[in-house]
Amino acid sequence: MASSAVEYTIGGVKIHFPCKAYPSQLSMMNSIVRGLNYGQHCLLESPTGSGKSLALLCSTLAWQRAQFGKNFFLPSETQGRKASIASRLSEKLQASVNSDGDREDDFKPDRKRIRSVEQKVPEPCSRCPCASTKDTVKEKAKDDKKRIPKIFFGTRTHKQITQIAHELKRTVYSSVHMTILSSRDHTCVNPEVVPHFNRNERCKDLLEAKNGKSCRFYHGVQKMRDHHTLQRVHGLHEAWDVEDLVTVAKRLRSCSYYAARELMQGASIIFCPYNYLLDPMIRESMEIDLAGQILVLDEAHNIEDCARESASFTLDESSLKTCREELDSMVKNNIRRSQHEPLRDFCYALINWIQECQVLLSERGYESASKVWSGKDILGIFYGLGITADTFRMLKQNLAAVLEKEERVGLVHGKEDMVQVPTISSMTSTVLKNLFMVLDFLYRDNCRFAEDYKVALQRSYSWTNQVPPDVPDAQGFLVRPRPRRRQTARVKTEIHTLSFWCLNPAVAFSDLSGTVRSIVLTSGTLSPMGSFSSELGVKFSIQLEANHVINKSQVWVGTVGAGPQGKKLCATFQHTETYAFQDEVGDLLLHICKVIAKGVLCFLPSYKVSIQQNKLKNKKA
């Protein structure tokens, strides 16, 4: 932290700032504290370079810290820890490692543990306050208090998260409990998974031990799952970025992906790309609960596009057929038949409708055709297919039921034992979940978002390389041609895709605005704020258009028509290729750099021109 730290008291909150704040930063922090105090949403515009991120971090973390002395409490990492995906898989893995099918029931860890817990449950004591009664009183006292909201800080990219972490390191809040949520592409350290493009699927296969292998790095998640260990043992004393966590994970042979998710439970601030917060499917898979929390979206001038994409979905007919076949197999094998059968019938109805609509497609270009319906029209079509708001509600319940893990008594090596009921694959569940997500938006609140959707059926073609099969000779033996004669054939395949396009970002924000405590949305370009606010469908009670930190006297805008030698600067294609033009521009840049001592930011029209100027600059240097 800089030695010139300054303390400001805004709205009753003491904010420690690493330097003297600009007026725009003070205005931002005042608006943020006011919004957090009253649970209101903030729409804040401040020009690029005015220190928005620093103001966001200091004001939100200072407000959060101030709640400790009020009627709030922040649960510890072990207290009330939910059974997250990571911990559930860890327990399952440990049980499978320790258990032995040939032992008697008394020596099976899971069952033995359950019995010991049942034996140790104390009976209520009427004469003295026993431990269980004290715990009940403590829990009741905590229920009377409100939990301190977590801060979910969203940015556009992972690179920006690294920049935010560096900003946090400058402040007195640098040791705050934090985590960064990111994809396996950024955090996986398993050498058996990293080289492959489908890391998600390979990771899930290892966790489920499908091929008899498990992820040895996942076993070490507990080494990194709490902040105290990270700070005191592993050296992450101050704000860290993803690369820091990955470095620790490699040293400990631990999984940084699941460690980051485990750290979310005890974290005060969670950083992630903002599609993690807007997309319902990502929120579910990452176990992100935004109810009552603080949602900060920095650099949010493109938030509308992200919101529309989060509420949209495109699937191809082949994936839908795969889902149908898998569900049909479940029905034929009498596995949760009452739940799988309606889901299979739903897939059948959708596939049949896609086939019937082929005659309606209109040619749109070379080897492409499409047909587009409004959301209202598609609901009428689905009604004819038997898919209504009521039947869709039952389909959602059926999908939730078939995804639940369940064990039943079965025969294993001729002996009765508990076996897990088979479930649909992750690919099928992902397709159905995404499809049900958009349908949920379409049917929500008496179909009020129906006009915000367009549904498109499209036909296109894909060319793939296919190796010709081996052919039998005159005696009936298969003969494989020599390698140099074995040529691949180009095969043309017809592809049908069904797209649900969301046209209104307010659809995705409808999940957030009514549940979070405060939304703080900032950018350098949000004006006009009235239309921006209405497009998101969120009432931003607090709005701010801050001035730039640069005085008007420091700004000059003009054009330079000629260089130092008096030659005209005409940057057309014919002139930029000449040495005379390049020399003149180079001399001009050199002259400007000598006059302006604090640095120059130069934009050039193309990469080729920038290379030319670099060569010229090096030559003259």
Side-chain angles (χ1 to χ4, degrees), residues 358-376:
Q358 297 303 309
V359 295
L360 303 177
L361 301 184
S362 301
E363 298 296 327
R364 299 294 182 186
Y366 178 69
E367 293 191 339
S368 64
S370 63
K371 168 70 177 175
V372 180
W373 296 267
S374 69
K376 189 174 182 180

Side-chain angles (χ1 to χ4, degrees), residues 21-86:
Y22 292 124
S24 60
Q25 291 175 316
L26 292 173
S27 299
M28 277 194 65
M29 292 191 289
N30 178 61
S31 299
I32 292 169
V33 171
R34 193 151 44 97
L36 299 183
N37 279 336
Y38 297 102
Q40 296 175 333
H41 304 319
C42 307
L43 188 61
L44 312 174
E45 180 186 79
S46 187
T48 301
S50 57
K52 293 188 300 296
S53 300
L54 198 59
L56 283 169
L57 290 169
C58 291
S59 56
T60 53
L61 289 170
W63 181 89
Q64 189 184 59
R65 179 179 289 186
Q67 307 314 304
F68 283 103
K70 299 182 180 179
N71 199 33
F72 284 84
F73 81 97
L74 186 66
S76 64
E77 294 181 90
T78 56
Q79 187 177 39
R81 181 183 285 273
K82 294 180 181 179
S84 63
I85 289 179

